[in-house]
Amino acid sequence: MNFRELALSQAILDALKVEGYTKPTPIQEAVIPLLLEGKDVMAKAQTGSGKSASFVLPILELLDQRRGEGKKAKIKVLVLTPTRELTLQVAAAFETFGRYLAVKPKAVAIIGGESIGDQLYKVQQGCDVLVATSGRFLEVLSKKQMNLSHIEFLVLDEADKMLNLGFSEELDGILEAIPAERQNLMFSATYPQKILDIASKITQKAVEVSIEDETETVANIKQRVIEVNRDNRGPLLRHLLKQEKYGQVLVFMANKRATDNIAMKFKKYGLSAQSFHGDLDQEERNETLQAFKQKKIQVLFATDIAARGLDIDDIDCVVNFDLPRSPADYIHRIGRTARAGKSGHALSFIDYESMAHFKLIEKRSEVTLKREQIEGFELLGEAPKKVKGPAPVKGKGKSKKDRAREKAAQEAKKN
Ligand code: AMP
């Protein structure tokens, strides 16, 4: 199938061509026709599947078909996303694919870390599409200076990533502010009960689309598990960068401070590295991301939160310097490489302490991977012995008083 068969207008086809999109991905093939028919859609899809274009393209098409003559733009589309980066990417996608339309749609991103006044000003200048993180959107909404009565499309992108952010309550406030009659679309990598509850809040009549491309993506990723002592992970990574000649590398770490420290160390060794975490302000994040995309930075050390939703092509290798806490995040992390049909590498560093956790990850991801050791970086020491016997029970130990009494008795015996 090609994009022309999906009944998109020439202006959109031209933009697709410029962007190098030759063939729709499975999610695009499934979702685009449904949205063009005016259906609500609930889609199970991952980042990397091409899901952004699957809603951006048909919405642009419908906006274009329903465009009135010479009127000031009204907000017709609201997209909610879990992160600032994803918000910016989706807003950019609307502009990129809409740029050859007779009336270019305007998309405004509403994200934390930037002035509300500036964002409101942009909205009031007239825009067709609002892309926002939900918390910030509510803040802007509370100023009561936006007209949301023309909203025709509501999109929840990466809904599963919004769950832990108190999203369900926020959504209630947002739904109250927009028209009940609208087309709804939701994307989520998983559909636990909480997500289904959210889905039922926004629509009762959605067509369900499930694209099992997760395994397809993972099939293109060469996964390796390397046993190495904690302190040797940095030197091993430098060694592998040199030996394997990886291009762009995204390294996941457990905490912010560690990403700063290691990025500094790598720079000392003459490598182009940078850290990426939630403590950076928005401008620093944008700059770092831009530099990484433009390959001015080769190695990006990131925390999970910061890396969520990043849309970067050409990541050659994803490294689990620290394992993800949740086994589900493993697939999500390594899916950052091998995007849109390319191949990629994923390395996980494990030591005695994380071995059991990695087994869990394998079970959950339905893979069994060979453990490797790299010459010169072998895992030393021994596995910590399991503690034998029952663990001490709280409250059953000797009290201070008892110990004092025993001591006194012993002293008395001695005398
Ligand atoms: P997404 O899942 O929307 O984050 O998209 C993942 C990556 O695939 C993005 O970098 C897109 O630019 C790219 N992409 C999406 N659809 C296509 C397509 N049909 N052809 C080529 N690249 C695509």
Side-chain angles (χ1 to χ4, degrees), residues 127-403:
C127 76
D128 308 86
V129 182
L130 276 188
V131 190
T133 49
S134 59
R136 193 32 143 15
F137 183 67
L138 276 178
E139 265 181 79
V140 177
L141 197 62
S142 68
K143 307 260 176 236
K144 296 199 181 345
Q145 290 177 38
M146 287 187 297
N147 181 356
L148 299 177
S149 64
H150 300 282
I151 289 207
E152 295 172 22
F153 301 92
L154 173 67
V155 184
L156 299 193
D157 198 2
E158 300 200 0
D160 51 338
K161 297 292 173 203
M162 298 199 240
L163 278 184
N164 42 355
L165 308 174
F167 176 66
S168 186
E169 296 75 45
E170 289 174 355
L171 183 65
D172 292 337
I174 293 169
L175 291 179
E176 265 172 40
I178 62 176
E181 194 61 41
R182 45 166 209 265
Q183 199 173 345
N184 299 290
L185 179 58
M186 184 160 129
F187 284 97
S188 190
T190 55
Y191 274 83
Q193 190 55 46
K194 274 187 180 169
I195 287 289
L196 294 173
D197 293 345
I198 285 181
S200 67
K201 274 187 192 179
I202 64 165
T203 173
Q204 306 288 332
K205 50 173 196 209
V207 179
E208 291 175 23
V209 172
S210 176
I211 300 294
E212 293 303 337
D213 71 332
E214 197 174 273
T215 43
E216 219 174 87
T217 315
V218 172
N220 290 334
I221 303 173
K222 186 169 187 304
Q223 302 177 61
R224 293 172 69 182
V225 190
I226 303 175
E227 295 178 340
V228 59
N229 291 95
R230 271 186 87 73
D231 294 345
N232 238 351
R233 291 173 300 173
L236 172 62
L237 181 56
R238 290 201 302 274
H239 168 78
L240 289 171
L241 284 175
K242 213 158 129 195
Q243 198 179 46
E244 305 287 337
K245 300 194 173 56
Y246 295 127
Q248 300 298 101
V249 180
L250 177 61
V251 185
F252 284 99
M253 300 187 71
N255 75 66
K256 302 171 197 172
R257 213 46 56 227
T259 63
D260 283 339
N261 292 340
I262 194 164
M264 220 142 65
K265 252 200 196 142
F266 270 50
K267 278 193 231 170
K268 272 195 196 144
Y269 281 99
L271 288 150
S272 90
Q274 201 65 259
S275 57
F276 188 70
H277 54 69
D279 278 358
L280 303 177
D281 66 33
Q282 191 56 38
E283 205 177 314
E284 288 169 318
R285 282 201 202 194
N286 292 349
E287 274 171 16
T288 305
L289 212 55
Q290 205 52 28
F292 189 56
K293 280 186 179 178
Q294 293 169 349
K295 306 193 177 170
K296 289 179 188 155
I297 295 169
Q298 187 201 359
V299 189
L300 195 65
F301 292 97
T303 56
D304 265 313
I305 302 285
R308 209 160 264 176
L310 287 190
D311 169 26
I312 302 168
D313 289 337
D314 290 335
I315 293 180
D316 220 14
C317 179
V318 168
V319 181
N320 291 308
F321 201 88
D322 293 306
L323 293 181
R325 229 174 273 159
S326 132
D329 275 345
Y330 175 76
I331 296 285
H332 199 67
R333 280 186 182 184
I334 70 170
R336 306 281 127 166
T337 179
R339 314 271 285 209
K342 292 180 191 156
S343 62
H345 303 262
L347 309 179
S348 298
F349 292 165
I350 62 169
D351 64 2
Y352 294 116
E353 260 154 43
S354 51
M355 278 176 185
H357 186 53
F358 197 80
K359 272 210 179 114
L360 217 76
I361 290 175
E362 285 179 305
K363 200 168 155 207
R364 178 77 183 262
S365 330
E366 294 173 6
V367 287
T368 311
L369 301 167
K370 194 181 92 199
R371 300 324 190 235
E372 288 178 54
Q373 297 207 9
I374 307 287
E375 204 184 326
F377 302 89
E378 290 88 353
L379 182 64
L380 303 175
E382 282 177 28
K385 292 213 171 67
K386 284 207 179 107
V387 188
K388 283 196 183 129
V393 180
K394 211 177 166 196
K396 294 275 165 155
K398 286 174 188 165
S399 70
K400 238 184 195 172
K401 254 188 201 162
D402 284 344
R403 282 200 302 270

Side-chain angles (χ1 to χ4, degrees), residues 3 21 23-25 28 47-52 311 313 339-340:
F3 281 108
Y21 285 29
K23 217 171 123 339
T25 64
Q28 290 160 4
T47 18
S49 58
K51 62 179 175 53
S52 312
D311 169 26
D313 289 337
R339 314 271 285 209

